[in-house]
Amino acid sequence: MNGDTTITGTIAHLLTPAERRHWRLAWLSTVDHKRIGILYMVIGLAFFVIAGIEALLIRLQLMVPNNTLLGPDTYNWMFTMHGTTMIFLVAMPVLFGIMNYVLPLQIGARDMAFPRLNALGVWLVPFGGILLHFSFLASGPPAVGWFAYTPLSETPYSSQSGVDYWAISLLVLGIGSVSAGINFIVTVLTQRAPGMTLRRLPLFSWMIFMNAFLVILALPILNAALVMLLIDRLLDGRFFLPFGGGSPIMWQHIFWAFGHPEVYIVAIPAFAILSEIIPVFSRKPIFGHEFVAASTVVIVILSLLVWAHHMFTVGLGHTVDLFFVAASVLIAVPTGVKLFNWSATMVGGRVRFTTPMLFCLGALLQFLLGGLTGVSHAMAPLDWQTKNSYYLVAHFHNVFVGLIVFAILGGIYYWFPKMSGRMMSERIGKWVFWLMTIGFNLTFMIQHVLGLAGMPRRTYTYPDLPGWGWMNMVSTIGAFFMTAASILFVWDLVRSLIRGKPAGDNPWNAWTLEWATTSPPPHENFDALPPIRSRRPLWDYANPDRPDPVVPVGGAIDTFRPEKNAAGVITFIISEAGFFGVLILAYLFYNATPQSGPGGRELDVWKTAIFSVCLFASSFTIWRSEIAERTGNHGKMKAWLVATILLGGIFIAGQGLEYWTLFQHGVTVGLNLFATTFFTLTGFHGLHVCAGLIALMIVLGVAFSRAFKRGPLPALGPVALYWHFVDVVWVFVFSIVYLWPLIQ
């Protein structure tokens, strides 16, 4: 660095010479996955400070009985903002940052599949965070918990706009998360280095690949719930208001259908970090690689089937409870497989207790206890007794802090040398580890006892009952130990970035491809790659006399490499199918029995059928356009494309005419449940059709431009896939909304 030890000089050193004059702009406008990964982590660290302050205020309020430091409203604000910030603005961004930085390097790629989409995702995080915290300057932040149970979060009970800011900010963050999930999937499928088959993926990359599917399946469910809540609040909808016929329990079902997979959305990357670090510092391959990989697939599937174990106290009935008890116990099996494999990896290994390894060991042991208490919550009778106590708070934080935060810290200490070219301090790192471990156990382990002693959660104060005061005091003292560890960690980051010991390319003697390039890596990551025949290519390269067994190619699926844009659109369609699935299920639930007021029978089915035929015909015309494009008949391609746009426009005009007719007869969103569900479902389909029309017109504009003469039109196929999707969605909507009432 030519002796420049300032932070500015260090950051400039990570850029190319041409970028150093304007390094701030280079970071703000970057599409490089490595810088985007660092931006994710820096943004997450900034919000971690905010969430940490909120947590300290909560613990100070609960430090002694009958405390008045925070009033009940202020406490509820802190409680809501802390939970929301930690989950959506700290845990997910920091993990996405590590994933962004490491994944392309591990698979030998030059960058993510969609660099600009990647940049959009990272900048949606501060935008969503600012929206959320702007509520402090508006009418007041939300005071409904990070779960925002209805009807508490509805306008009659939370009339200030804080809940609106909360919902809109989470929508923004959800869109960014889905875009990241799409990018991870397509990157693994299409950007792998030659020889890097799916079976040869390192466990970290495999788990991130699987986790990305969970992201694109779960986040749209939350987005649908947020849309429904905003319609209730801003347009007088009736989804969740009981006196309007709505169901507050429906909110819980939809929210926890997202909320439980969300636990694994942040837990699986933590598992991935442990699966990467423990073998390296045990100096042996992970025990049972195939079992660990398969257990991840099972966790992804089962995590979508256990949401109602958060609702045992709701009163769903013994049959429903029994199903979710079984599913919740079953998911402990693949999780236990991972714990067994990590432990077996260390047995017989030459374990080195470096700072990254210490954090992984701490995460493993603390998550073991969190898993055991989780199994107790899977038992409905036990759950009834402890659900609303501090026992659940302790369990939740065993997972989110004991596993995820410890794994994040271990991952940062492990990959910081690759990111910066410098080592973090082992001495300071061990201080951070022990302060964090002591603080964590003081803060949360004692809360198990508090919960079993009967202390309720979600309350801003408590009476001076035997034992409650001193145990809460210990818990608050532990929070300050964790604060000290966090401050020391940040100091170590800054100090190491400026004055850390040079790391070299592979300071840990690790085996995956990110260590095959310089530290930090060049802009396009690699100058050359070693041959990839196994899961540890650097071990094979360094030990040609005793390489790992070659991992054979397992068929076409193992080497599957779809076209990038088509793969991106297909994964987007999967996510949107989840969004529409929630809206369709809500319509069916609320309209299963006839209600008073206007309903489906009042709709003009035959007129809508005419416009629907136009939309269905547009799938044929765009298919003909694709055929013409493939055969090189550009004139026919454009003609069929124009026909598709006209047919789609006729459909939108027909829907607009139907809306106008309904409005003229007094049928608005807030009239009854039919109107709320009808306008929501058909309205969002109409928005998707409009988005498709815009995309088609852009493709048509490109087709008429001179640029098209240089070759085929690659955008047509992906846009056609999306257009077929909106047509298929309308098949379901038309059948359910318009035809079903005729046969009831």
Coordinates of all heavy atoms in Angstrom, one line a residue, residues 395-435:
H395 N -34.9 -20.2 23.8 CA -34.7 -21.1 22.7 C -34.5 -20.3 21.4 O -33.6 -20.7 20.7 CB -36.0 -21.9 22.6 CG -36.2 -22.5 21.2 ND1 -35.3 -23.5 20.7 CD2 -37.0 -22.2 20.2 CE1 -35.7 -23.8 19.4 NE2 -36.7 -23.0 19.1
F396 N -35.3 -19.3 21.2 CA -35.1 -18.5 19.9 C -33.7 -17.9 19.8 O -33.1 -18.0 18.7 CB -36.2 -17.4 19.9 CG -36.2 -16.5 18.7 CD1 -36.8 -16.9 17.5 CD2 -35.5 -15.3 18.7 CE1 -36.8 -16.1 16.4 CE2 -35.5 -14.5 17.6 CZ -36.1 -14.9 16.4
H397 N -33.2 -17.4 20.9 CA -31.9 -16.7 20.8 C -30.8 -17.8 20.8 O -29.7 -17.5 20.4 CB -31.7 -15.7 22.0 CG -32.5 -14.5 21.7 ND1 -33.8 -14.3 22.1 CD2 -32.1 -13.3 21.2 CE1 -34.2 -13.1 21.8 NE2 -33.2 -12.5 21.2
N398 N -31.0 -19.0 21.3 CA -30.0 -20.0 21.2 C -29.8 -20.3 19.7 O -28.6 -20.6 19.3 CB -30.5 -21.3 21.8 CG -29.9 -21.5 23.2 OD1 -28.7 -21.8 23.3 ND2 -30.7 -21.3 24.2
V399 N -30.8 -20.2 18.9 CA -30.6 -20.4 17.4 C -30.1 -19.2 16.8 O -29.1 -19.2 16.0 CB -32.0 -20.8 16.8 CG1 -31.8 -20.9 15.3 CG2 -32.5 -22.1 17.4
F400 N -30.7 -18.0 17.0 CA -30.3 -16.8 16.3 C -29.0 -16.2 16.7 O -28.3 -15.6 15.9 CB -31.5 -15.8 16.3 CG -32.4 -15.9 15.2 CD1 -33.4 -16.8 15.2 CD2 -32.3 -15.0 14.1 CE1 -34.2 -16.9 14.1 CE2 -33.1 -15.1 13.0 CZ -34.1 -16.1 13.0
V401 N -28.6 -16.4 18.0 CA -27.4 -15.8 18.5 C -26.4 -17.0 18.6 O -25.3 -16.9 18.1 CB -27.5 -15.1 19.8 CG1 -26.2 -14.5 20.3 CG2 -28.5 -13.9 19.6
G402 N -26.8 -18.0 19.4 CA -25.9 -19.1 19.6 C -25.4 -19.8 18.4 O -24.2 -20.1 18.3
L403 N -26.2 -19.9 17.4 CA -25.8 -20.5 16.1 C -25.4 -19.5 15.1 O -24.2 -19.5 14.6 CB -26.9 -21.4 15.5 CG -26.6 -21.9 14.1 CD1 -25.5 -22.9 14.0 CD2 -27.9 -22.5 13.5
I404 N -26.3 -18.6 14.7 CA -26.1 -17.8 13.6 C -25.0 -16.7 13.8 O -24.1 -16.5 13.0 CB -27.4 -17.2 13.1 CG1 -28.4 -18.3 12.7 CG2 -27.3 -16.1 12.0 CD1 -29.8 -17.9 12.7
V405 N -25.1 -16.0 14.9 CA -24.1 -14.9 15.2 C -22.8 -15.5 15.4 O -21.8 -15.0 14.8 CB -24.6 -14.0 16.4 CG1 -23.4 -13.1 16.8 CG2 -25.8 -13.3 16.1
F406 N -22.7 -16.6 16.1 CA -21.3 -17.2 16.3 C -20.8 -17.7 14.9 O -19.6 -17.6 14.7 CB -21.4 -18.4 17.3 CG -21.3 -17.9 18.7 CD1 -22.2 -17.1 19.3 CD2 -20.1 -18.3 19.4 CE1 -22.1 -16.7 20.7 CE2 -19.9 -17.9 20.7 CZ -20.9 -17.1 21.4
A407 N -21.6 -18.3 14.1 CA -21.2 -18.8 12.8 C -20.7 -17.6 11.9 O -19.7 -17.7 11.2 CB -22.3 -19.6 12.1
I408 N -21.5 -16.5 12.0 CA -21.1 -15.3 11.2 C -19.7 -14.8 11.6 O -18.9 -14.5 10.8 CB -22.2 -14.2 11.3 CG1 -23.4 -14.6 10.5 CG2 -21.6 -12.9 10.9 CD1 -24.6 -13.6 10.8
L409 N -19.5 -14.7 12.9 CA -18.2 -14.3 13.4 C -17.1 -15.2 13.0 O -16.0 -14.8 12.6 CB -18.2 -14.1 14.9 CG -19.1 -13.0 15.5 CD1 -19.3 -13.1 17.0 CD2 -18.6 -11.6 15.1
G410 N -17.4 -16.5 13.1 CA -16.4 -17.5 12.6 C -16.1 -17.3 11.1 O -14.9 -17.4 10.7
G411 N -17.1 -17.1 10.3 CA -17.0 -16.9 8.9 C -16.2 -15.7 8.6 O -15.3 -15.7 7.7
I412 N -16.4 -14.6 9.3 CA -15.7 -13.4 9.0 C -14.2 -13.5 9.3 O -13.3 -13.1 8.6 CB -16.3 -12.2 9.8 CG1 -17.7 -11.9 9.2 CG2 -15.4 -11.0 9.7 CD1 -18.5 -10.8 9.9
Y413 N -13.9 -14.1 10.5 CA -12.5 -14.4 10.9 C -11.9 -15.3 9.8 O -10.7 -15.2 9.6 CB -12.4 -14.9 12.3 CG -12.3 -13.9 13.3 CD1 -13.5 -13.5 14.0 CD2 -11.1 -13.3 13.6 CE1 -13.4 -12.5 15.0 CE2 -11.0 -12.3 14.6 CZ -12.2 -11.9 15.3 OH -12.1 -10.9 16.3
Y414 N -12.6 -16.2 9.3 CA -12.0 -17.2 8.3 C -11.8 -16.6 7.0 O -10.7 -16.8 6.4 CB -13.0 -18.4 8.2 CG -12.6 -19.5 7.3 CD1 -11.5 -20.3 7.6 CD2 -13.3 -19.7 6.1 CE1 -11.1 -21.3 6.7 CE2 -12.9 -20.7 5.2 CZ -11.8 -21.5 5.5 OH -11.4 -22.5 4.7
W415 N -12.8 -15.8 6.4 CA -12.6 -15.3 5.1 C -12.1 -13.8 5.0 O -11.8 -13.3 3.9 CB -13.9 -15.4 4.4 CG -14.2 -16.7 3.8 CD1 -13.5 -17.4 2.9 CD2 -15.3 -17.6 4.2 NE1 -14.1 -18.6 2.6 CE2 -15.2 -18.8 3.4 CE3 -16.4 -17.5 5.1 CZ2 -16.1 -19.8 3.5 CZ3 -17.2 -18.6 5.2 CH2 -17.1 -19.7 4.4
F416 N -11.9 -13.2 6.2 CA -11.4 -11.8 6.2 C -10.0 -11.8 5.5 O -9.7 -10.9 4.7 CB -11.2 -11.3 7.6 CG -10.7 -9.9 7.6 CD1 -11.6 -8.8 7.5 CD2 -9.4 -9.6 7.8 CE1 -11.1 -7.5 7.6 CE2 -8.9 -8.3 7.9 CZ -9.8 -7.3 7.8
P417 N -9.1 -12.7 5.7 CA -7.8 -12.7 5.0 C -8.0 -12.7 3.4 O -7.2 -12.1 2.7 CB -7.1 -13.9 5.5 CG -7.7 -14.2 6.8 CD -9.1 -13.8 6.7
K418 N -8.9 -13.5 3.0 CA -9.2 -13.5 1.5 C -9.8 -12.2 1.0 O -9.4 -11.7 -0.1 CB -10.2 -14.7 1.2 CG -10.5 -14.8 -0.3 CD -9.3 -14.9 -1.2 CE -8.4 -16.1 -0.8 NZ -7.2 -16.2 -1.7
M419 N -10.6 -11.6 1.8 CA -11.3 -10.3 1.4 C -10.3 -9.1 1.4 O -10.4 -8.2 0.6 CB -12.5 -10.0 2.3 CG -13.6 -11.1 2.3 SD -14.9 -10.7 3.5 CE -15.9 -12.1 3.3
S420 N -9.4 -9.1 2.4 CA -8.6 -7.9 2.6 C -7.1 -8.1 2.3 O -6.3 -7.2 2.2 CB -8.7 -7.4 4.1 OG -8.2 -8.4 4.9
G421 N -6.7 -9.4 2.3 CA -5.2 -9.7 2.2 C -4.5 -9.6 3.5 O -3.3 -9.7 3.5
R422 N -5.3 -9.4 4.6 CA -4.6 -9.2 5.9 C -5.3 -10.2 6.9 O -6.5 -10.5 6.8 CB -4.7 -7.8 6.4 CG -3.9 -6.8 5.5 CD -4.0 -5.4 6.0 NE -3.1 -4.6 5.2 CZ -1.8 -4.4 5.4 NH1 -1.2 -5.1 6.3 NH2 -1.1 -3.6 4.6
M423 N -4.5 -10.5 7.9 CA -5.0 -11.4 9.0 C -5.7 -10.6 10.1 O -5.2 -9.5 10.4 CB -3.9 -12.3 9.6 CG -3.2 -13.2 8.6 SD -4.3 -14.5 7.9 CE -4.5 -15.5 9.4
M424 N -6.7 -11.1 10.7 CA -7.2 -10.5 11.9 C -6.4 -11.1 13.1 O -5.8 -12.1 13.0 CB -8.7 -10.8 12.1 CG -9.6 -10.2 11.0 SD -11.4 -10.4 11.3 CE -11.7 -9.4 12.7
S425 N -6.5 -10.4 14.2 CA -5.7 -10.8 15.4 C -6.2 -12.0 16.0 O -7.4 -12.1 16.5 CB -5.6 -9.6 16.4 OG -5.0 -10.0 17.6
E426 N -5.4 -13.1 16.2 CA -5.8 -14.2 17.0 C -6.0 -13.9 18.4 O -7.0 -14.4 19.1 CB -4.8 -15.4 16.8 CG -4.9 -16.1 15.5 CD -6.2 -17.0 15.4 OE1 -6.4 -17.8 16.4 OE2 -6.9 -16.8 14.4
R427 N -5.2 -13.1 19.0 CA -5.3 -12.7 20.4 C -6.6 -12.0 20.7 O -7.3 -12.3 21.6 CB -4.1 -11.9 20.8 CG -4.1 -11.5 22.3 CD -2.8 -10.8 22.7 NE -2.6 -9.6 21.9 CZ -3.1 -8.4 22.2 NH1 -3.8 -8.2 23.3 NH2 -2.8 -7.3 21.4
I428 N -6.8 -10.9 19.9 CA -8.1 -10.2 20.1 C -9.3 -11.1 19.7 O -10.3 -11.0 20.4 CB -8.1 -8.9 19.2 CG1 -6.9 -8.0 19.6 CG2 -9.4 -8.2 19.3 CD1 -6.8 -6.7 18.8
G429 N -9.1 -11.9 18.7 CA -10.3 -12.8 18.3 C -10.7 -13.7 19.4 O -11.9 -14.0 19.6
K430 N -9.7 -14.2 20.2 CA -10.0 -15.1 21.3 C -10.7 -14.3 22.4 O -11.6 -14.8 23.1 CB -8.8 -15.8 21.8 CG -8.3 -16.9 20.8 CD -7.1 -17.6 21.3 CE -6.8 -18.9 20.4 NZ -6.5 -18.5 19.0
W431 N -10.3 -13.1 22.7 CA -11.0 -12.2 23.6 C -12.5 -12.0 23.2 O -13.4 -12.1 24.0 CB -10.3 -10.9 23.8 CG -9.2 -10.9 24.8 CD1 -7.9 -11.0 24.6 CD2 -9.4 -10.7 26.2 NE1 -7.2 -11.0 25.8 CE2 -8.1 -10.8 26.8 CE3 -10.5 -10.6 27.0 CZ2 -7.9 -10.7 28.2 CZ3 -10.3 -10.5 28.4 CH2 -9.1 -10.5 29.0
V432 N -12.6 -11.8 21.9 CA -14.0 -11.6 21.4 C -14.8 -12.9 21.6 O -16.0 -12.8 22.1 CB -14.0 -11.2 19.9 CG1 -15.4 -11.2 19.3 CG2 -13.3 -9.9 19.7
F433 N -14.2 -14.0 21.3 CA -14.9 -15.3 21.5 C -15.4 -15.5 22.9 O -16.5 -15.8 23.2 CB -14.1 -16.4 21.0 CG -14.6 -17.8 21.4 CD1 -15.7 -18.3 20.7 CD2 -14.1 -18.5 22.5 CE1 -16.2 -19.5 21.1 CE2 -14.6 -19.7 22.8 CZ -15.7 -20.2 22.1
W434 N -14.4 -15.3 23.9 CA -14.8 -15.6 25.3 C -15.7 -14.6 25.9 O -16.7 -14.9 26.6 CB -13.5 -15.7 26.1 CG -12.8 -17.0 25.8 CD1 -11.6 -17.1 25.2 CD2 -13.2 -18.3 26.1 NE1 -11.2 -18.4 25.1 CE2 -12.2 -19.2 25.6 CE3 -14.4 -18.9 26.7 CZ2 -12.3 -20.6 25.7 CZ3 -14.5 -20.2 26.8 CH2 -13.5 -21.1 26.3
L435 N -15.6 -13.3 25.5 CA -16.6 -12.3 26.0 C -17.9 -12.6 25.4 O -19.0 -12.5 26.1 CB -16.1 -10.9 25.5 CG -15.0 -10.3 26.4 CD1 -14.5 -9.0 25.7 CD2 -15.4 -10.0 27.8

